[in-house]
Amino acid sequence: MKKERKRNKTQSVRIRLNEEEAGMFKTKSKQYKNMSAMVRDAVYRFDETSTIRKIEAFQELTQLYKLYQVELSRLGGNFNQTVKRANQLAIGNELTTQYFEKILFPKVKPILSLLRQIKKRQDYIVKKINKL
């Protein structure tokens, strides 16, 4: 590949840029011998197959995320209904308040915390992905 790069350059390609793009090209080309060298390097490094695979993987991950988001919401709803019903039973003396407070609630609290942490991490990931 290096031998190919050292051959005489006889072909010229014209591109049109707006002022902002031209400024970006100039800034990024400072670490190269010239702007042409930067563009050639970018084209050599570009791998369309890899990019397509990354996009496909990203789309697959998005579908999986949506599935988990729906399932997590459903689980959270069911969990809230269960705890609400246990609380109602405790208030109606069908379930002892002591059982609810000493046995059930200590088991429920970490699960609720875990569900909230998962949701928070999912939101963080979505924000990060949206910045890409």
Side-chain angles (χ1 to χ4, degrees):
M1 190 181 268
K2 284 207 174 204
K3 287 181 183 179
E4 290 179 29
R5 286 185 181 188
K6 293 201 179 221
R7 291 183 184 169
N8 289 336
K9 277 77 172 173
T10 59
Q11 300 294 312
S12 176
V13 178
R14 289 182 51 138
I15 60 171
R16 294 185 181 275
L17 304 171
N18 62 33
E19 291 206 19
E20 182 182 328
E21 293 167 335
M24 179 183 61
F25 268 57
K26 286 176 186 172
T27 300
K28 291 193 177 211
S29 68
K30 285 181 182 176
Q31 56 186 315
Y32 289 89
K33 181 178 172 184
N34 54 44
M35 200 176 297
S36 294
M38 178 199 68
V39 172
R40 283 193 302 272
D41 188 45
V43 171
Y44 283 125
R45 291 173 187 254
F46 179 72
D47 182 0
E48 188 174 336
T49 305
S50 174
T51 302
I52 290 170
R53 285 188 188 139
K54 287 177 184 176
I55 290 170
E56 288 170 351
F58 181 72
Q59 289 170 337
E60 204 173 309
L61 183 62
T62 301
Q63 291 301 318
L64 186 62
Y65 171 82
K66 287 177 182 177
L67 174 69
Y68 283 133
Q69 184 69 14
V70 168
E71 287 298 313
L72 183 62
S73 293
R74 187 181 61 78
L75 285 171
N78 289 346
F79 188 69
N80 283 338
Q81 288 175 352
T82 302
V83 173
K84 182 178 178 182
R85 181 65 182 140
N87 190 36
Q88 288 170 341
L89 291 172
I91 290 170
N93 291 323
E94 295 177 48
L95 176 70
T96 65
T97 306
Q98 184 178 3
Y99 181 83
F100 181 80
E101 291 175 353
K102 303 283 185 197
I103 295 173
L104 188 61
F105 194 70
K107 300 282 185 190
V108 165
K109 196 172 180 180
I111 296 169
L112 182 59
S113 176
L114 179 61
L115 287 171
R116 286 181 179 150
Q117 286 175 9
I118 292 170
K119 177 70 175 131
K120 192 174 183 178
R121 288 188 64 113
Q122 283 183 325
D123 290 343
Y124 172 76
I125 291 168
V126 167
K127 284 179 185 175
K128 229 176 157 180
I129 288 172
N130 285 333
K131 288 182 181 179
L132 296 178

